[in-house]
Amino acid sequence: QVSSVAFSPDAKTLVSGSADGTLRLWDAATGKEISCLKGHEGSVNSVAFSSDGRTLASGGQDKTLRLWEATTGKETACFAGHLAMVNAVAFSPDGKLLASGSIDKTIRLWETATGKEVCCLKGHGALVSSVAFSLDGKTLASGGYDCSLHLWKVATGEEVSRHVVEPVANVHTIA
């Protein structure tokens, strides 16, 4: 089962995250598998490329986020802090921050260079299924199974707005 896919910024490579605990890199033109990356214990629920295409991020059932060199497949960092499985990951446009959303109902922001947790955003009443940065990196959007979409100021962690999806429906993905 493939849980998540993302294109590299140049659209030449795809990364997939799967229930078997792997990330796989694919040649987008030929469909040929380039490499298989292993490190998570349990399913890989979300994958993302950094905007420069050099780094991959993954979030999984093992409550961790991992960073990988896109060219070598080497795992370069493992971030822990969520209390439950990670459902969503997204890089800020400048690649300095990584956002993660979890079944623990939180969104966490991490410095990619150090692995330091910058802040923990709370406001969802159920699991967080999706996170996305605005193009300028100043706003983070999150969606979840509490039928809501939240907007957050990245610099302060302040919730800017909350929108309930009508008719009531879980938010699975935002972009």
Side-chain angles (χ1 to χ4, degrees):
Q1 173 185 336
V2 175
S3 307
S4 181
V5 294
F7 270 105
S8 61
D10 65 6
K12 293 181 180 179
T13 307
L14 279 165
V15 62
S16 62
S18 301
D20 66 0
T22 64
L23 288 82
R24 294 175 192 264
L25 291 168
W26 306 88
D27 182 303
T30 66
K32 183 180 177 183
E33 183 177 320
I34 300 166
S35 60
C36 180
L37 316 180
K38 297 178 181 176
H40 282 281
E41 296 176 23
S43 66
V44 176
N45 300 325
S46 186
V47 293
F49 268 98
S50 61
S51 61
D52 65 8
R54 295 181 187 172
T55 307
L56 298 166
S58 59
Q61 185 177 7
D62 59 5
K63 308 175 195 173
T64 68
L65 296 92
R66 295 172 192 258
L67 296 182
W68 313 79
E69 288 181 359
T71 54
T72 66
K74 178 184 175 191
E75 183 180 320
T76 59
C78 179
F79 306 160
H82 279 291
L83 304 177
M85 143 165 91
V86 177
N87 292 325
V89 296
F91 280 100
S92 61
D94 64 9
K96 293 181 180 179
L97 294 175
L98 185 65
S100 58
S102 171
I103 284 184
D104 68 10
K105 306 176 191 175
T106 67
I107 300 105
R108 295 174 193 258
L109 295 177
W110 312 82
E111 289 180 352
T112 55
T114 65
K116 177 185 174 194
E117 184 180 315
V118 177
C119 65
C120 179
L121 309 176
K122 297 178 181 178
H124 280 279
L127 70 87
V128 178
S129 58
S130 189
V131 292
F133 281 93
S134 62
L135 289 178
D136 64 8
K138 294 180 180 179
T139 305
L140 181 74
S142 62
Y145 278 30
D146 57 356
C147 307
S148 70
L149 169 69
H150 298 243
L151 297 178
W152 311 85
K153 277 188 186 177
V154 172
T156 64
E158 174 190 351
E159 185 179 58
V160 177
S161 64
R162 180 183 310 198
H163 309 279
V164 176
V165 178
E166 297 288 346
V168 176
N170 294 331
V171 177
H172 293 276
T173 304
I174 54 177

Coordinates of all heavy atoms in Angstrom, one line a residue, residues 11-67:
A11 N 10.8 17.6 -11.1 CA 9.8 16.6 -11.7 C 10.4 15.4 -12.3 O 9.7 14.7 -13.0 CB 8.8 17.3 -12.6
K12 N 11.7 15.2 -12.1 CA 12.3 14.0 -12.7 C 12.2 12.8 -11.8 O 12.4 11.6 -12.3 CB 13.8 14.3 -13.0 CG 14.0 15.3 -14.1 CD 15.4 15.6 -14.4 CE 15.6 16.6 -15.5 NZ 17.0 16.9 -15.8
T13 N 12.0 13.0 -10.5 CA 12.0 11.9 -9.5 C 10.7 11.9 -8.7 O 10.2 13.0 -8.4 CB 13.2 12.0 -8.6 OG1 14.4 12.0 -9.4 CG2 13.3 10.8 -7.7
L14 N 10.2 10.8 -8.4 CA 9.1 10.6 -7.4 C 9.6 9.9 -6.2 O 10.5 9.0 -6.3 CB 8.0 9.8 -8.0 CG 7.0 10.5 -9.0 CD1 6.2 9.4 -9.7 CD2 6.1 11.4 -8.2
V15 N 9.1 10.3 -5.0 CA 9.3 9.5 -3.8 C 7.9 9.0 -3.4 O 6.9 9.7 -3.4 CB 10.0 10.3 -2.7 CG1 9.2 11.5 -2.3 CG2 10.4 9.4 -1.5
S16 N 7.9 7.7 -2.9 CA 6.7 7.1 -2.3 C 7.0 6.6 -0.9 O 8.1 6.2 -0.6 CB 6.2 6.0 -3.2 OG 7.1 4.9 -3.3
G17 N 6.0 6.7 -0.1 CA 6.1 6.1 1.2 C 5.0 5.0 1.3 O 3.9 5.2 0.8
S18 N 5.4 3.9 2.0 CA 4.5 2.7 1.9 C 4.3 2.1 3.3 O 5.1 2.3 4.2 CB 5.2 1.7 1.0 OG 5.3 2.2 -0.3
A19 N 3.3 1.2 3.3 CA 2.9 0.5 4.5 C 4.0 -0.5 4.9 O 4.1 -0.9 6.1 CB 1.6 -0.2 4.3
D20 N 4.9 -0.8 4.0 CA 6.0 -1.8 4.4 C 7.2 -1.1 5.1 O 8.2 -1.7 5.3 CB 6.5 -2.6 3.2 CG 7.2 -1.7 2.1 OD1 7.3 -0.5 2.3 OD2 7.6 -2.3 1.1
G21 N 7.0 0.2 5.4 CA 8.1 0.9 6.1 C 9.2 1.5 5.2 O 10.2 2.0 5.7
T22 N 9.0 1.5 3.9 CA 10.0 2.0 3.0 C 9.6 3.3 2.3 O 8.4 3.6 2.2 CB 10.3 1.0 1.9 OG1 9.2 0.8 1.1 CG2 10.8 -0.4 2.5
L23 N 10.6 4.0 1.9 CA 10.5 5.1 0.9 C 11.2 4.5 -0.4 O 12.2 3.9 -0.3 CB 11.3 6.3 1.3 CG 10.8 7.2 2.5 CD1 11.2 6.6 3.8 CD2 11.3 8.6 2.3
R24 N 10.6 4.8 -1.5 CA 11.1 4.4 -2.8 C 11.2 5.6 -3.7 O 10.3 6.4 -3.8 CB 10.3 3.3 -3.4 CG 10.3 2.0 -2.6 CD 9.4 0.9 -3.1 NE 9.2 -0.2 -2.2 CZ 9.9 -1.3 -2.2 NH1 10.9 -1.5 -3.1 NH2 9.7 -2.2 -1.3
L25 N 12.4 5.7 -4.3 CA 12.6 6.7 -5.3 C 12.4 6.1 -6.7 O 12.9 5.0 -7.0 CB 14.0 7.3 -5.2 CG 14.2 8.1 -3.9 CD1 15.7 8.4 -3.7 CD2 13.5 9.4 -4.0
W26 N 11.7 6.9 -7.6 CA 11.3 6.4 -8.9 C 11.7 7.4 -10.0 O 11.6 8.6 -9.7 CB 9.8 6.2 -9.0 CG 9.2 5.3 -7.9 CD1 8.8 5.7 -6.7 CD2 9.0 3.9 -8.0 NE1 8.3 4.7 -6.0 CE2 8.4 3.5 -6.7 CE3 9.2 3.0 -8.9 CZ2 8.1 2.2 -6.4 CZ3 8.9 1.7 -8.7 CH2 8.3 1.3 -7.4
D27 N 12.2 6.9 -11.1 CA 12.4 7.8 -12.3 C 11.0 8.1 -12.8 O 10.3 7.2 -13.2 CB 13.2 7.0 -13.3 CG 13.6 7.9 -14.5 OD1 12.6 8.3 -15.2 OD2 14.8 8.0 -14.8
A28 N 10.7 9.4 -12.8 CA 9.3 9.8 -13.3 C 9.1 9.5 -14.8 O 7.9 9.2 -15.1 CB 9.1 11.2 -13.0
A29 N 10.1 9.5 -15.6 CA 9.9 9.3 -17.0 C 9.7 7.8 -17.4 O 8.9 7.5 -18.2 CB 11.1 9.9 -17.8
T30 N 10.5 7.0 -16.7 CA 10.5 5.5 -17.0 C 9.6 4.7 -16.1 O 9.3 3.6 -16.4 CB 11.9 5.0 -17.1 OG1 12.4 5.0 -15.7 CG2 12.8 5.7 -18.0
G31 N 9.4 5.2 -14.8 CA 8.7 4.4 -13.8 C 9.6 3.4 -13.1 O 9.2 2.6 -12.3
K32 N 10.9 3.4 -13.5 CA 11.9 2.5 -12.9 C 12.2 2.9 -11.5 O 12.5 4.1 -11.2 CB 13.1 2.4 -13.7 CG 14.1 1.4 -13.2 CD 15.4 1.4 -14.1 CE 16.4 0.4 -13.5 NZ 17.6 0.4 -14.3
E33 N 12.3 1.9 -10.6 CA 12.7 2.2 -9.2 C 14.2 2.5 -9.2 O 15.0 1.7 -9.7 CB 12.4 1.0 -8.3 CG 12.7 1.2 -6.8 CD 12.4 0.1 -5.9 OE1 11.3 -0.6 -6.1 OE2 13.2 -0.2 -5.0
I34 N 14.5 3.6 -8.5 CA 15.9 4.0 -8.4 C 16.6 3.5 -7.1 O 17.7 3.0 -7.1 CB 16.0 5.6 -8.4 CG1 15.5 6.1 -9.7 CG2 17.5 6.0 -8.2 CD1 15.2 7.6 -9.7
S35 N 15.8 3.6 -6.0 CA 16.4 3.1 -4.7 C 15.2 2.9 -3.7 O 14.1 3.4 -3.9 CB 17.4 4.0 -4.2 OG 16.9 5.3 -3.9
C36 N 15.6 2.1 -2.7 CA 14.6 1.8 -1.6 C 15.3 2.1 -0.3 O 16.4 1.7 0.0 CB 14.3 0.3 -1.7 SG 13.1 -0.2 -0.4
L37 N 14.6 3.0 0.4 CA 15.2 3.5 1.7 C 14.5 2.9 2.9 O 13.2 2.9 2.9 CB 15.1 5.0 1.8 CG 15.5 5.8 0.5 CD1 15.3 7.3 0.7 CD2 16.9 5.5 0.0
K38 N 15.3 2.4 3.8 CA 14.7 1.8 5.0 C 15.2 2.4 6.3 O 16.3 2.8 6.3 CB 15.0 0.3 5.0 CG 14.5 -0.5 3.9 CD 14.9 -1.9 3.9 CE 14.3 -2.7 2.6 NZ 14.8 -4.0 2.6
G39 N 14.3 2.6 7.3 CA 14.6 3.2 8.5 C 13.5 3.3 9.5 O 13.6 3.2 10.7
H40 N 12.3 3.5 8.9 CA 11.1 3.6 9.8 C 10.7 2.2 10.3 O 10.9 1.2 9.6 CB 9.9 4.2 9.0 CG 9.9 5.6 8.9 ND1 9.6 6.5 9.9 CD2 10.3 6.4 7.9 CE1 9.7 7.7 9.5 NE2 10.1 7.7 8.3
E41 N 10.1 2.1 11.5 CA 9.5 0.9 12.0 C 8.0 1.1 11.8 O 7.4 1.9 12.5 CB 9.9 0.7 13.4 CG 11.4 0.5 13.7 CD 11.7 0.3 15.1 OE1 10.9 0.0 15.9 OE2 12.9 0.6 15.4
G42 N 7.4 0.4 10.9 CA 6.0 0.5 10.6 C 5.8 1.4 9.3 O 6.8 1.7 8.7
S43 N 4.6 1.7 9.0 CA 4.3 2.4 7.8 C 4.9 3.8 7.7 O 5.1 4.5 8.7 CB 2.8 2.5 7.6 OG 2.2 3.3 8.6
V44 N 5.2 4.2 6.4 CA 5.6 5.6 6.1 C 4.4 6.2 5.6 O 3.8 5.9 4.5 CB 6.7 5.6 5.1 CG1 7.1 7.0 4.7 CG2 8.0 4.9 5.6
N45 N 3.9 7.2 6.3 CA 2.6 7.8 6.0 C 2.7 9.1 5.2 O 1.7 9.5 4.6 CB 1.8 8.2 7.3 CG 1.6 6.9 8.2 OD1 1.4 5.9 7.6 ND2 1.6 7.1 9.5
S46 N 3.8 9.8 5.2 CA 3.9 11.0 4.5 C 5.4 11.2 4.0 O 6.3 10.9 4.7 CB 3.5 12.2 5.3 OG 3.5 13.4 4.6
V47 N 5.5 11.8 2.8 CA 6.9 12.1 2.3 C 6.8 13.4 1.6 O 5.8 13.9 1.2 CB 7.3 11.0 1.2 CG1 7.5 9.7 1.9 CG2 6.3 10.9 0.1
A48 N 8.0 14.1 1.6 CA 8.1 15.4 0.9 C 9.6 15.6 0.5 O 10.5 15.1 1.1 CB 7.7 16.5 1.9
F49 N 9.7 16.4 -0.6 CA 11.0 16.9 -1.0 C 11.2 18.3 -0.5 O 10.3 19.1 -0.5 CB 11.1 16.9 -2.6 CG 11.6 15.7 -3.2 CD1 10.7 14.7 -3.8 CD2 13.0 15.5 -3.4 CE1 11.2 13.6 -4.4 CE2 13.5 14.4 -4.0 CZ 12.6 13.4 -4.6
S50 N 12.4 18.7 -0.2 CA 12.8 20.1 0.1 C 12.7 20.8 -1.3 O 12.8 20.2 -2.3 CB 14.1 20.2 0.7 OG 15.1 19.7 -0.1
S51 N 12.6 22.1 -1.2 CA 12.5 22.9 -2.4 C 13.7 22.9 -3.3 O 13.6 23.1 -4.5 CB 12.1 24.4 -2.1 OG 13.1 25.0 -1.3
D52 N 14.9 22.6 -2.7 CA 16.1 22.5 -3.6 C 16.3 21.0 -4.1 O 17.2 20.8 -4.8 CB 17.3 22.9 -2.8 CG 17.7 22.1 -1.6 OD1 17.1 21.0 -1.4 OD2 18.6 22.5 -0.8
G53 N 15.4 20.1 -3.7 CA 15.5 18.7 -4.1 C 16.5 17.9 -3.5 O 16.7 16.7 -3.8
R54 N 17.3 18.4 -2.6 CA 18.4 17.7 -2.0 C 18.0 16.8 -0.8 O 18.7 15.8 -0.5 CB 19.5 18.6 -1.5 CG 20.2 19.4 -2.6 CD 21.2 20.3 -2.0 NE 21.8 21.2 -3.0 CZ 22.6 22.1 -2.8 NH1 23.0 22.4 -1.6 NH2 23.1 22.9 -3.8
T55 N 16.9 17.1 -0.2 CA 16.5 16.4 1.0 C 15.1 15.9 0.9 O 14.2 16.5 0.4 CB 16.6 17.4 2.3 OG1 17.9 17.9 2.3 CG2 16.4 16.6 3.6
L56 N 14.9 14.7 1.5 CA 13.6 14.1 1.6 C 13.2 14.1 3.1 O 14.1 13.9 4.0 CB 13.6 12.6 1.2 CG 13.9 12.3 -0.3 CD1 14.2 10.9 -0.5 CD2 12.8 12.8 -1.2
A57 N 11.9 14.2 3.4 CA 11.4 14.0 4.7 C 10.4 13.0 4.7 O 9.7 12.8 3.7 CB 10.8 15.3 5.2
S58 N 10.3 12.2 5.8 CA 9.2 11.2 5.9 C 8.7 11.2 7.3 O 9.4 11.5 8.3 CB 9.8 9.8 5.6 OG 10.9 9.5 6.4
G59 N 7.5 10.8 7.5 CA 6.8 10.7 8.8 C 6.1 9.3 8.8 O 5.6 8.9 7.8
G60 N 6.2 8.7 10.0 CA 5.7 7.3 10.1 C 4.9 6.9 11.3 O 4.8 7.7 12.3
Q61 N 4.5 5.7 11.2 CA 3.8 5.0 12.3 C 4.6 4.9 13.6 O 4.1 4.9 14.7 CB 3.4 3.6 11.8 CG 2.6 2.8 12.8 CD 2.2 1.5 12.2 OE1 2.6 1.1 11.2 NE2 1.3 0.8 13.0
D62 N 6.0 5.0 13.4 CA 6.9 4.9 14.6 C 7.0 6.2 15.4 O 7.9 6.4 16.2 CB 8.2 4.4 14.2 CG 8.9 5.2 13.1 OD1 8.4 6.3 12.8 OD2 10.0 4.8 12.7
K63 N 6.2 7.2 15.0 CA 6.1 8.5 15.7 C 7.3 9.4 15.4 O 7.5 10.4 16.0 CB 6.0 8.3 17.3 CG 5.0 7.4 17.8 CD 5.1 7.3 19.3 CE 4.3 6.1 19.8 NZ 4.5 5.8 21.2
T64 N 8.1 9.1 14.4 CA 9.2 9.9 14.0 C 9.1 10.5 12.7 O 8.3 10.1 11.8 CB 10.5 9.0 14.0 OG1 10.5 8.1 12.9 CG2 10.7 8.3 15.3
L65 N 10.0 11.5 12.5 CA 10.2 12.2 11.2 C 11.7 11.9 10.9 O 12.5 11.9 11.8 CB 10.1 13.7 11.3 CG 8.7 14.2 11.6 CD1 8.6 14.4 13.1 CD2 8.5 15.5 10.9
R66 N 11.9 11.6 9.6 CA 13.3 11.3 9.2 C 13.7 12.2 8.0 O 12.8 12.4 7.2 CB 13.5 9.8 8.9 CG 13.3 9.0 10.2 CD 13.3 7.5 9.9 NE 12.8 6.8 11.1 CZ 13.6 6.1 12.0 NH1 14.9 6.1 11.8 NH2 13.1 5.5 13.0
L67 N 15.0 12.6 8.0 CA 15.5 13.3 6.8 C 16.5 12.4 6.1 O 17.2 11.6 6.7 CB 16.2 14.6 7.2 CG 15.3 15.7 7.9 CD1 16.2 16.9 8.2 CD2 14.2 16.0 7.0

